[in-house]
Amino acid sequence: MKLRTLILGLCSTSALAFAAHAESITIATVNNGDMVRMQKLTDDFTKANPDIQLNWVTLEENVLRERVTTDIATKGGQYDVMTIGTYEVPIWAKQSWLLPLDKLGDDYDAKDIIPAIAGGLSVDGKLYAAPFYGESSFVMYRKDLMDKAGLKMPDAPTWDFIKQAADKMTDRANGVNGVCLRGKAGWGENMAFLTAMSNSFGARWFDENWKPQFDQPEWKNTLQFYVDLMKADGPEGASSNGFNENLALFQQGKCGMWIDATVAASFVSDPKASQVADKVGYALAPDNGLGKRGNWLWAWSLAIPAGTQKADAAEKFVSWATSKHYAELVASKEGWANAPPGTRSSLYANADYQKAAPFAKMTLDSINAADPTHPTVKPVPYVGVQFVAIPEFQGLGTTVGQLFSAALAGQSSVDDALKQAQDAATATMTEGGYIK
């Protein structure tokens, strides 16, 4: 009896000692569906790495951006892994705020990452964030409602067609809005959509000398078209709707069309979550015949802040979460259609994925069509499709987003919103030394 007690005591002591030595890493992430799914599958990681414990901080998109930006800029050290995007990575890497990812493992196969995505996450040939999922944007539409309207969605529609279709599909009596678009203020919310849209209207944030361009007719045409379209055919309270809100509306059958991230395709076509799963078609983002479509390029990615004391454990997690193995894990649990899209070339060569994901080719075509180095019709001094890759853009983009959201809500006119945007941008760029 004494021997058994002694053995049990030693085992308990060993377990406590092991727990005490287990390294705990904190991961800041966004509350998007793919990220929520990842958290549910992390037993696979912890079984292989029992010496690493995972703590999650899951936040709404705008809040996440604010928190991680403050933390890394002030060297706060709250997080060991950060979920950031294509905008932050090159800026933060150049500031030496991120660690290069050079220990992802022999079987990681970084060369398999889609070149357009890898390019946006690299500086001087070094990868500073690993893409969890990549995306462009495209049109998701109800095939049944399009048929009912007597129209056929082209593979490459114009904005005029979108307006025509939205007018015919809107059925307020039955709770159907012809189109759902982002209205929630934020540089990565409504301004991601509106900046990409403006590119197709020939607009640009700045001319070659960094002079703001909101006083030009191209921006007036963009914002007026958007506000008029949403007032006629969009949902009530649209100025509060971001990605997640519009996803819910579309899944509930309340949108004829939704122009947003390609990553949404697996959620709108999932019969467990979407009431219209078998009725969804896909098309490229609209254009106006000027040579640019209104689609963006983005990757939600995992990066390691330079201030972490747990870099090795953090990189092990990043490697697991962005690996081919993880995609296979998701497929085994929830089907190939739900594998994280837009990051690896091998996924799009996978016959099982192609069969399960009718949106696969349109997603890849949209990603490859985005050109961050030449995003606009007229020349610009910046890179970035739906953002301007300068540090000041995060604050300025959110300010402009608030102005444009207010115009959508009817709290100001389109002209007033554009004038205030021009004034805010001019002040920011003058203070930043861009305008001499």
PDB file of all heavy atoms in Angstrom, residues 408-432:
ATOM      1  N   LEU A 408     -23.693  56.456 -46.254  1.00  0.00           N
ATOM      2  CA  LEU A 408     -24.597  55.335 -46.526  1.00  0.00           C
ATOM      3  C   LEU A 408     -25.798  55.363 -45.585  1.00  0.00           C
ATOM      4  O   LEU A 408     -26.922  55.063 -45.981  1.00  0.00           O
ATOM      5  CB  LEU A 408     -23.841  54.012 -46.369  1.00  0.00           C
ATOM      6  CG  LEU A 408     -24.661  52.733 -46.546  1.00  0.00           C
ATOM      7  CD1 LEU A 408     -25.285  52.660 -47.935  1.00  0.00           C
ATOM      8  CD2 LEU A 408     -23.806  51.496 -46.286  1.00  0.00           C
ATOM      9  N   ALA A 409     -25.562  55.757 -44.339  1.00  0.00           N
ATOM     10  CA  ALA A 409     -26.637  55.813 -43.343  1.00  0.00           C
ATOM     11  C   ALA A 409     -27.540  57.033 -43.527  1.00  0.00           C
ATOM     12  O   ALA A 409     -28.545  57.171 -42.818  1.00  0.00           O
ATOM     13  CB  ALA A 409     -26.041  55.819 -41.940  1.00  0.00           C
ATOM     14  N   GLY A 410     -27.183  57.937 -44.450  1.00  0.00           N
ATOM     15  CA  GLY A 410     -27.984  59.123 -44.679  1.00  0.00           C
ATOM     16  C   GLY A 410     -27.703  60.252 -43.715  1.00  0.00           C
ATOM     17  O   GLY A 410     -28.443  61.241 -43.652  1.00  0.00           O
ATOM     18  N   GLN A 411     -26.593  60.126 -42.952  1.00  0.00           N
ATOM     19  CA  GLN A 411     -26.234  61.168 -41.984  1.00  0.00           C
ATOM     20  C   GLN A 411     -25.470  62.320 -42.622  1.00  0.00           C
ATOM     21  O   GLN A 411     -25.294  63.370 -42.007  1.00  0.00           O
ATOM     22  CB  GLN A 411     -25.392  60.546 -40.857  1.00  0.00           C
ATOM     23  CG  GLN A 411     -26.167  59.515 -40.044  1.00  0.00           C
ATOM     24  CD  GLN A 411     -25.259  58.655 -39.186  1.00  0.00           C
ATOM     25  OE1 GLN A 411     -24.052  58.857 -39.145  1.00  0.00           O
ATOM     26  NE2 GLN A 411     -25.844  57.680 -38.497  1.00  0.00           N
ATOM     27  N   SER A 412     -24.985  62.120 -43.845  1.00  0.00           N
ATOM     28  CA  SER A 412     -24.339  63.196 -44.606  1.00  0.00           C
ATOM     29  C   SER A 412     -24.529  62.896 -46.081  1.00  0.00           C
ATOM     30  O   SER A 412     -24.908  61.782 -46.453  1.00  0.00           O
ATOM     31  CB  SER A 412     -22.846  63.277 -44.269  1.00  0.00           C
ATOM     32  OG  SER A 412     -22.147  62.162 -44.796  1.00  0.00           O
ATOM     33  N   SER A 413     -24.259  63.876 -46.917  1.00  0.00           N
ATOM     34  CA  SER A 413     -24.375  63.666 -48.360  1.00  0.00           C
ATOM     35  C   SER A 413     -23.076  63.056 -48.895  1.00  0.00           C
ATOM     36  O   SER A 413     -22.033  63.094 -48.231  1.00  0.00           O
ATOM     37  CB  SER A 413     -24.640  65.000 -49.064  1.00  0.00           C
ATOM     38  OG  SER A 413     -23.489  65.840 -48.973  1.00  0.00           O
ATOM     39  N   VAL A 414     -23.151  62.498 -50.078  1.00  0.00           N
ATOM     40  CA  VAL A 414     -21.954  61.971 -50.734  1.00  0.00           C
ATOM     41  C   VAL A 414     -20.923  63.080 -50.920  1.00  0.00           C
ATOM     42  O   VAL A 414     -19.728  62.891 -50.646  1.00  0.00           O
ATOM     43  CB  VAL A 414     -22.332  61.327 -52.088  1.00  0.00           C
ATOM     44  CG1 VAL A 414     -21.090  61.085 -52.946  1.00  0.00           C
ATOM     45  CG2 VAL A 414     -23.096  60.025 -51.860  1.00  0.00           C
ATOM     46  N   ASP A 415     -21.371  64.255 -51.343  1.00  0.00           N
ATOM     47  CA  ASP A 415     -20.442  65.368 -51.565  1.00  0.00           C
ATOM     48  C   ASP A 415     -19.748  65.798 -50.272  1.00  0.00           C
ATOM     49  O   ASP A 415     -18.541  66.060 -50.263  1.00  0.00           O
ATOM     50  CB  ASP A 415     -21.176  66.566 -52.180  1.00  0.00           C
ATOM     51  CG  ASP A 415     -21.543  66.341 -53.639  1.00  0.00           C
ATOM     52  OD1 ASP A 415     -20.908  65.477 -54.281  1.00  0.00           O
ATOM     53  OD2 ASP A 415     -22.461  67.020 -54.134  1.00  0.00           O
ATOM     54  N   ASP A 416     -20.512  65.871 -49.185  1.00  0.00           N
ATOM     55  CA  ASP A 416     -19.917  66.251 -47.897  1.00  0.00           C
ATOM     56  C   ASP A 416     -18.900  65.212 -47.430  1.00  0.00           C
ATOM     57  O   ASP A 416     -17.835  65.545 -46.918  1.00  0.00           O
ATOM     58  CB  ASP A 416     -20.997  66.426 -46.828  1.00  0.00           C
ATOM     59  CG  ASP A 416     -21.779  67.724 -46.985  1.00  0.00           C
ATOM     60  OD1 ASP A 416     -21.302  68.595 -47.742  1.00  0.00           O
ATOM     61  OD2 ASP A 416     -22.861  67.854 -46.372  1.00  0.00           O
ATOM     62  N   ALA A 417     -19.245  63.936 -47.596  1.00  0.00           N
ATOM     63  CA  ALA A 417     -18.340  62.856 -47.174  1.00  0.00           C
ATOM     64  C   ALA A 417     -17.031  62.921 -47.957  1.00  0.00           C
ATOM     65  O   ALA A 417     -15.938  62.760 -47.387  1.00  0.00           O
ATOM     66  CB  ALA A 417     -19.007  61.503 -47.368  1.00  0.00           C
ATOM     67  N   LEU A 418     -17.127  63.181 -49.246  1.00  0.00           N
ATOM     68  CA  LEU A 418     -15.922  63.257 -50.078  1.00  0.00           C
ATOM     69  C   LEU A 418     -15.078  64.474 -49.727  1.00  0.00           C
ATOM     70  O   LEU A 418     -13.836  64.399 -49.700  1.00  0.00           O
ATOM     71  CB  LEU A 418     -16.309  63.277 -51.557  1.00  0.00           C
ATOM     72  CG  LEU A 418     -16.839  61.940 -52.106  1.00  0.00           C
ATOM     73  CD1 LEU A 418     -17.475  62.144 -53.475  1.00  0.00           C
ATOM     74  CD2 LEU A 418     -15.717  60.905 -52.191  1.00  0.00           C
ATOM     75  N   LYS A 419     -15.727  65.600 -49.443  1.00  0.00           N
ATOM     76  CA  LYS A 419     -14.980  66.799 -49.069  1.00  0.00           C
ATOM     77  C   LYS A 419     -14.227  66.582 -47.756  1.00  0.00           C
ATOM     78  O   LYS A 419     -13.051  66.941 -47.619  1.00  0.00           O
ATOM     79  CB  LYS A 419     -15.902  68.009 -48.948  1.00  0.00           C
ATOM     80  CG  LYS A 419     -15.131  69.300 -48.628  1.00  0.00           C
ATOM     81  CD  LYS A 419     -16.029  70.490 -48.464  1.00  0.00           C
ATOM     82  CE  LYS A 419     -15.201  71.764 -48.254  1.00  0.00           C
ATOM     83  NZ  LYS A 419     -14.200  71.624 -47.163  1.00  0.00           N
ATOM     84  N   GLN A 420     -14.915  65.978 -46.785  1.00  0.00           N
ATOM     85  CA  GLN A 420     -14.256  65.714 -45.501  1.00  0.00           C
ATOM     86  C   GLN A 420     -13.135  64.686 -45.648  1.00  0.00           C
ATOM     87  O   GLN A 420     -12.096  64.783 -44.990  1.00  0.00           O
ATOM     88  CB  GLN A 420     -15.288  65.216 -44.485  1.00  0.00           C
ATOM     89  CG  GLN A 420     -16.285  66.287 -44.047  1.00  0.00           C
ATOM     90  CD  GLN A 420     -17.304  65.741 -43.059  1.00  0.00           C
ATOM     91  OE1 GLN A 420     -16.959  65.407 -41.925  1.00  0.00           O
ATOM     92  NE2 GLN A 420     -18.552  65.627 -43.482  1.00  0.00           N
ATOM     93  N   ALA A 421     -13.327  63.705 -46.537  1.00  0.00           N
ATOM     94  CA  ALA A 421     -12.274  62.718 -46.798  1.00  0.00           C
ATOM     95  C   ALA A 421     -11.056  63.387 -47.422  1.00  0.00           C
ATOM     96  O   ALA A 421      -9.905  63.095 -47.056  1.00  0.00           O
ATOM     97  CB  ALA A 421     -12.808  61.617 -47.715  1.00  0.00           C
ATOM     98  N   GLN A 422     -11.309  64.294 -48.359  1.00  0.00           N
ATOM     99  CA  GLN A 422     -10.206  65.027 -49.003  1.00  0.00           C
ATOM    100  C   GLN A 422      -9.437  65.857 -47.974  1.00  0.00           C
ATOM    101  O   GLN A 422      -8.191  65.855 -47.954  1.00  0.00           O
ATOM    102  CB  GLN A 422     -10.770  65.931 -50.111  1.00  0.00           C
ATOM    103  CG  GLN A 422      -9.728  66.757 -50.859  1.00  0.00           C
ATOM    104  CD  GLN A 422      -8.871  65.942 -51.804  1.00  0.00           C
ATOM    105  OE1 GLN A 422      -9.151  64.768 -52.035  1.00  0.00           O
ATOM    106  NE2 GLN A 422      -7.815  66.547 -52.331  1.00  0.00           N
ATOM    107  N   ASP A 423     -10.161  66.533 -47.097  1.00  0.00           N
ATOM    108  CA  ASP A 423      -9.515  67.362 -46.069  1.00  0.00           C
ATOM    109  C   ASP A 423      -8.711  66.503 -45.096  1.00  0.00           C
ATOM    110  O   ASP A 423      -7.568  66.841 -44.748  1.00  0.00           O
ATOM    111  CB  ASP A 423     -10.569  68.161 -45.295  1.00  0.00           C
ATOM    112  CG  ASP A 423     -11.238  69.242 -46.137  1.00  0.00           C
ATOM    113  OD1 ASP A 423     -10.690  69.567 -47.217  1.00  0.00           O
ATOM    114  OD2 ASP A 423     -12.295  69.746 -45.725  1.00  0.00           O
ATOM    115  N   ALA A 424      -9.280  65.377 -44.666  1.00  0.00           N
ATOM    116  CA  ALA A 424      -8.589  64.498 -43.718  1.00  0.00           C
ATOM    117  C   ALA A 424      -7.340  63.900 -44.342  1.00  0.00           C
ATOM    118  O   ALA A 424      -6.273  63.836 -43.709  1.00  0.00           O
ATOM    119  CB  ALA A 424      -9.526  63.382 -43.255  1.00  0.00           C
ATOM    120  N   ALA A 425      -7.453  63.470 -45.581  1.00  0.00           N
ATOM    121  CA  ALA A 425      -6.310  62.862 -46.264  1.00  0.00           C
ATOM    122  C   ALA A 425      -5.205  63.895 -46.513  1.00  0.00           C
ATOM    123  O   ALA A 425      -4.014  63.601 -46.350  1.00  0.00           O
ATOM    124  CB  ALA A 425      -6.761  62.234 -47.581  1.00  0.00           C
ATOM    125  N   THR A 426      -5.602  65.105 -46.878  1.00  0.00           N
ATOM    126  CA  THR A 426      -4.610  66.154 -47.111  1.00  0.00           C
ATOM    127  C   THR A 426      -3.853  66.486 -45.826  1.00  0.00           C
ATOM    128  O   THR A 426      -2.625  66.625 -45.825  1.00  0.00           O
ATOM    129  CB  THR A 426      -5.295  67.422 -47.668  1.00  0.00           C
ATOM    130  OG1 THR A 426      -5.955  67.091 -48.901  1.00  0.00           O
ATOM    131  CG2 THR A 426      -4.281  68.524 -47.921  1.00  0.00           C
ATOM    132  N   ALA A 427      -4.588  66.577 -44.718  1.00  0.00           N
ATOM    133  CA  ALA A 427      -3.946  66.862 -43.433  1.00  0.00           C
ATOM    134  C   ALA A 427      -2.982  65.742 -43.040  1.00  0.00           C
ATOM    135  O   ALA A 427      -1.845  65.994 -42.605  1.00  0.00           O
ATOM    136  CB  ALA A 427      -5.011  67.055 -42.351  1.00  0.00           C
ATOM    137  N   THR A 428      -3.410  64.507 -43.205  1.00  0.00           N
ATOM    138  CA  THR A 428      -2.574  63.354 -42.840  1.00  0.00           C
ATOM    139  C   THR A 428      -1.309  63.305 -43.681  1.00  0.00           C
ATOM    140  O   THR A 428      -0.202  63.082 -43.162  1.00  0.00           O
ATOM    141  CB  THR A 428      -3.363  62.039 -43.007  1.00  0.00           C
ATOM    142  OG1 THR A 428      -4.464  62.034 -42.098  1.00  0.00           O
ATOM    143  CG2 THR A 428      -2.473  60.829 -42.745  1.00  0.00           C
ATOM    144  N   MET A 429      -1.453  63.490 -44.964  1.00  0.00           N
ATOM    145  CA  MET A 429      -0.298  63.369 -45.860  1.00  0.00           C
ATOM    146  C   MET A 429       0.652  64.558 -45.725  1.00  0.00           C
ATOM    147  O   MET A 429       1.864  64.418 -45.921  1.00  0.00           O
ATOM    148  CB  MET A 429      -0.772  63.233 -47.323  1.00  0.00           C
ATOM    149  CG  MET A 429      -1.674  62.031 -47.539  1.00  0.00           C
ATOM    150  SD  MET A 429      -0.994  60.479 -46.885  1.00  0.00           S
ATOM    151  CE  MET A 429       0.199  60.084 -48.172  1.00  0.00           C
ATOM    152  N   THR A 430       0.113  65.708 -45.383  1.00  0.00           N
ATOM    153  CA  THR A 430       0.980  66.866 -45.116  1.00  0.00           C
ATOM    154  C   THR A 430       1.772  66.658 -43.845  1.00  0.00           C
ATOM    155  O   THR A 430       2.995  66.868 -43.800  1.00  0.00           O
ATOM    156  CB  THR A 430       0.137  68.152 -45.020  1.00  0.00           C
ATOM    157  OG1 THR A 430      -0.608  68.333 -46.230  1.00  0.00           O
ATOM    158  CG2 THR A 430       1.031  69.377 -44.793  1.00  0.00           C
ATOM    159  N   GLU A 431       1.069  66.204 -42.793  1.00  0.00           N
ATOM    160  CA  GLU A 431       1.740  65.952 -41.518  1.00  0.00           C
ATOM    161  C   GLU A 431       2.792  64.852 -41.644  1.00  0.00           C
ATOM    162  O   GLU A 431       3.853  64.917 -41.006  1.00  0.00           O
ATOM    163  CB  GLU A 431       0.697  65.540 -40.473  1.00  0.00           C
ATOM    164  CG  GLU A 431       1.277  65.360 -39.073  1.00  0.00           C
ATOM    165  CD  GLU A 431       0.204  64.984 -38.062  1.00  0.00           C
ATOM    166  OE1 GLU A 431      -0.989  65.220 -38.333  1.00  0.00           O
ATOM    167  OE2 GLU A 431       0.565  64.440 -37.009  1.00  0.00           O
ATOM    168  N   GLY A 432       2.529  63.876 -42.498  1.00  0.00           N
ATOM    169  CA  GLY A 432       3.470  62.773 -42.683  1.00  0.00           C
ATOM    170  C   GLY A 432       4.638  63.109 -43.587  1.00  0.00           C
ATOM    171  O   GLY A 432       5.541  62.286 -43.767  1.00  0.00           O
TER     172      GLY A 432
END
